[in-house]
Amino acid sequence: MKNNTPLLALLLLAGTCLVACGGGGTKADGGADSTAVAVSESAGPKPSEQPVTHHYDTNVGKHSYNISVARSVDSIASTVSDDFDQTYYDNVVVVNISRDGQPFFSHTFRKDTFADYLDDNQKQTMVLLGMAYDQSMSGGSRLSLTARVGEPCVGEGPAFLIEVPLSGGAFSIVRDTRVADEVDAYVTQDDSLSRQ
């Protein structure tokens, strides 16, 4: 059976964004000026995603690994705007990995980390949506993390695999082409279930 944990984690990230962007503003009273509320709701940058931390424990070979993936607002990076002129902060993801209780890997990921794989439009309109540990792609000589860069509150955009070598050394980044295929298969399966 195929492990869909990375896919589900990315879908959860997209769902979190929809909830975060889907409201939460103050409702106008019957006598209140609703245009004033609309202006105040769109003023200033909004977080594109809510802060979240995930912990993963895994064993590879003779070693146990603890992986912490923490996403937060990146107020230092450039903001991005959507088609409705709403401005959003980007995100930063801090990954810390320990092996047998000792520090093994630590890196702070920003959208700029993936700049070589993004076109100019993607750099200006997308944010780092999040990252997750991918057990199905880990093992042997590496630990793998999935990452997604996408449009705020939409979630669509390129996916990546970050490969952390277990021998130490620099991580590598490759495009993750599985995500589109898995999402298409999931949607098709969901459609077929809903028609029964």
Side-chain angles (χ1 to χ4, degrees):
M1 185 173 184
K2 202 177 203 181
N3 183 350
N4 287 329
T5 302
L7 172 63
L8 294 175
L10 288 173
L11 290 174
L12 179 61
L13 290 173
T16 302
C17 182
L18 289 175
V19 170
C21 297
T26 305
K27 288 188 175 182
D29 292 338
D33 182 3
S34 62
T35 57
V37 173
V39 170
S40 66
E41 283 181 356
S42 64
K46 292 182 180 180
S48 59
E49 299 286 341
Q50 297 300 313
V52 67
T53 301
H54 293 288
H55 296 279
Y56 308 90
D57 293 308
T58 189
N59 293 310
V60 179
K62 299 178 181 178
H63 300 286
S64 63
Y65 295 88
N66 178 271
I67 303 159
S68 170
V69 180
R71 179 186 65 208
S72 60
V73 172
D74 189 350
S75 57
I76 297 172
S78 299
T79 57
V80 301
S81 297
D82 64 13
D83 293 337
F84 304 102
D85 292 327
Q86 175 58 57
T87 305
Y88 295 93
Y89 288 113
D90 206 334
N91 299 299
V92 60
V93 177
V94 178
V95 175
N96 288 300
I97 303 174
S98 63
R99 178 166 63 188
D100 301 327
Q102 300 298 314
F104 173 71
F105 175 85
S106 182
H107 191 80
T108 300
F109 292 88
R110 289 185 161 83
K111 180 176 62 180
D112 291 349
T113 308
F114 307 94
D116 291 346
Y117 303 90
L118 303 173
D119 63 33
D120 289 340
N121 183 57
Q122 291 170 328
K123 291 175 187 176
Q124 294 172 4
T125 62
M126 294 186 172
V127 297
L128 176 57
L129 294 173
M131 295 175 63
Y133 170 62
D134 188 337
Q135 185 171 1
S136 68
M137 295 298 288
S138 298
S141 62
R142 68 177 183 266
L143 294 175
S144 294
L145 303 160
T146 57
R148 176 61 74 107
V149 174
E151 298 177 36
C153 298
V154 176
E156 296 178 3
F160 302 95
L161 279 173
I162 294 90
E163 298 177 343
V164 179
L166 297 182
S167 59
F171 64 88
S172 61
I173 299 173
V174 295
R175 285 294 298 262
D176 187 354
T177 57
R178 302 171 305 148
V179 175
D181 294 339
E182 288 182 7
V183 169
D184 290 344
Y186 178 79
V187 170
T188 302
Q189 178 185 8
D190 190 46
D191 286 345
S192 66
L193 291 175
S194 64
R195 290 183 192 132
Q196 293 178 354

